[in-house]
Amino acid sequence: MKKIALVTGATSGIGRATAIALADEGYNLIITGRRKERLEELKAMLGITYKADVLVLNFDVRDREAVQAAIESIPAAWKNIDVLVNNAGLAVGLNPIQEGLIEDWERMIDTNVKGLLYVSRAVAPLMCARGTGHIVNLCSTAGKEVYPNGNVYCATKHAVDAISKAMRIDMLKYGIKVTNICPGAVETEFSMVRFKNDKEKADKTYEGYTPLCGEDIASIIRYVVTLPVHVCINDLVVTPTAQANATNIFRKN
Ligand code: NDP
Ligand code: 8X3
């Protein structure tokens, strides 16, 4: 029987690439996000190209009741979720704390922290009941260090880092693996979202060096979820070769 992976934020970037990589690995997929048409397009592609069965769940991770209802709506045969990739997330704004927009802060906290918790709270009991499962949380180098103007985004990713550690302790007795993945710069829609569709600013983020791409992270996720049952990668920091840490990127111009 094929394994099942649920990927949040599968409409773009790392999440979409991960859904494709896991379909290629032989998984059936539950793909989620707010942009339904993109989910339907991905479902069709995964079915044709990889012969994967795909269930689309269209919800906003910030909506606690919608998350609960969506997971409860999953047909019994799909509830044996082997892998949960908590990927949905975003940065909004890049301002010093004294000038930050509170609505930006709330979007990040509600999505990156509360949304991840809502989805995990709905899926983790299914894994514990079966005594098997793997949760992969998309953290960030921003979960390991703080950089100028990154304040609240960094705080949300530090929270993800702590939640990953806590999950691993709490679900140890059920044999649940928890992997915290911390990428540096990955060229996706991330910077367009952070800079509110200012393409010039978004493009500047990746100027003068080769950033990671969604497929780079997807191939790492594919690797960590296919390790033997007794092996768990707990924490993984990955940057472009041109990036040493959050503040040091070597740009050639
Ligand atoms: P993208 O903007 O390309 O993708 C973000 C995904 O999250 C989209 O599929 C989006 O779907 C989904 N999402 C955002 N908000 C919500 C919401 N409220 N409800 C449901 N889904 C939501 O960015 P990335 O692929 O780069 O980001 C994926 C993860 O990786 C994030 O957690 C990010 O913080 C993290 N990360 C990214 C890095 C980077 O440099 N790009 C580096 C380190 C970590 P939709 O809009 O359709 O709902
Ligand atoms: C995304 C990478 O450097 O913008 O998490 O925080 S960074």
Side-chain angles (χ1 to χ4, degrees):
M1 220 169 70
K2 280 190 162 194
K3 288 190 167 183
I4 296 171
L6 189 161
V7 181
T8 68
T11 58
S12 168
I14 296 168
R16 186 175 194 278
T18 300
I20 294 169
L22 295 183
D24 188 43
E25 186 59 37
Y27 280 74
N28 286 331
L29 268 303
I30 304 173
I31 51 174
T32 87
R34 290 167 301 179
R35 286 169 287 182
K36 192 162 192 292
E37 66 294 347
R38 288 197 184 195
L39 294 172
E40 294 297 347
E41 173 272 327
L42 180 59
K43 175 182 173 167
M45 191 278 269
L46 295 178
I48 293 165
T49 312
Y50 301 100
K51 308 284 172 246
D53 289 338
V54 180
L55 185 69
V56 165
L57 293 180
N58 181 213
F59 61 85
D60 186 324
V61 295
R62 294 170 297 178
D63 183 338
R64 188 166 90 177
E65 284 169 10
V67 172
Q68 192 61 37
I71 305 300
E72 277 171 12
S73 78
I74 296 175
W78 282 91
K79 281 202 166 135
N80 294 343
I81 297 166
D82 296 287
V83 172
L84 164 63
V85 183
N86 272 320
N87 164 77
L90 77 185
V92 200
L94 190 66
N95 305 309
I97 203 106
Q98 67 278 11
E99 292 167 17
L101 299 179
I102 289 176
E103 59 267 32
D104 290 350
W105 297 355
E106 289 184 340
R107 259 181 85 190
M108 291 187 276
I109 293 166
D110 289 349
T111 309
N112 300 355
V113 183
K114 293 167 73 179
L116 180 145
L117 285 170
Y118 295 158
V119 174
S120 302
R121 181 63 184 86
V123 173
L126 303 173
M127 292 181 165
C128 291
R130 295 171 61 226
T132 182
H134 193 159
I135 299 179
V136 178
N137 290 330
L138 261 297
C139 185
S140 168
T141 45
K144 301 293 186 185
E145 45 182 325
V146 177
Y147 53 83
N149 304 326
N151 43 63
V152 176
Y153 178 67
C154 295
T156 65
K157 291 299 182 178
H158 276 66
V160 172
D161 193 64
I163 291 164
S164 293
K165 289 179 189 146
M167 283 177 165
R168 202 173 302 114
I169 296 167
D170 292 349
M171 294 188 284
L172 190 59
K173 65 181 173 198
Y174 300 105
I176 309 303
K177 297 189 193 188
V178 180
T179 301
N180 196 53
I181 309 244
C182 304
V186 188
E187 189 167 12
T188 60
E189 293 177 10
F190 178 87
S191 290
M192 282 294 277
V193 174
R194 165 169 263 174
F195 295 116
K196 302 176 183 177
N197 292 322
D198 183 331
K199 189 162 171 5
E200 209 181 314
K201 277 191 185 167
D203 287 348
K204 272 203 167 19
T205 311
Y206 310 111
E207 247 173 42
Y209 70 103
T210 307
L212 299 172
C213 62
E215 289 73 15
D216 294 323
I217 307 302
S219 68
I220 288 167
I221 293 173
R222 177 179 181 156
Y223 172 71
V224 303
V225 302
T226 49
L227 286 167
V229 175
H230 68 288
V231 181
C232 179
I233 292 186
N234 291 348
D235 202 13
L236 196 153
V237 178
V238 51
T239 63
T241 305
Q243 180 178 23
N245 57 28
T247 43
N248 286 272
I249 296 182
F250 181 69
R251 296 175 197 264
K252 283 192 188 142
N253 53 23

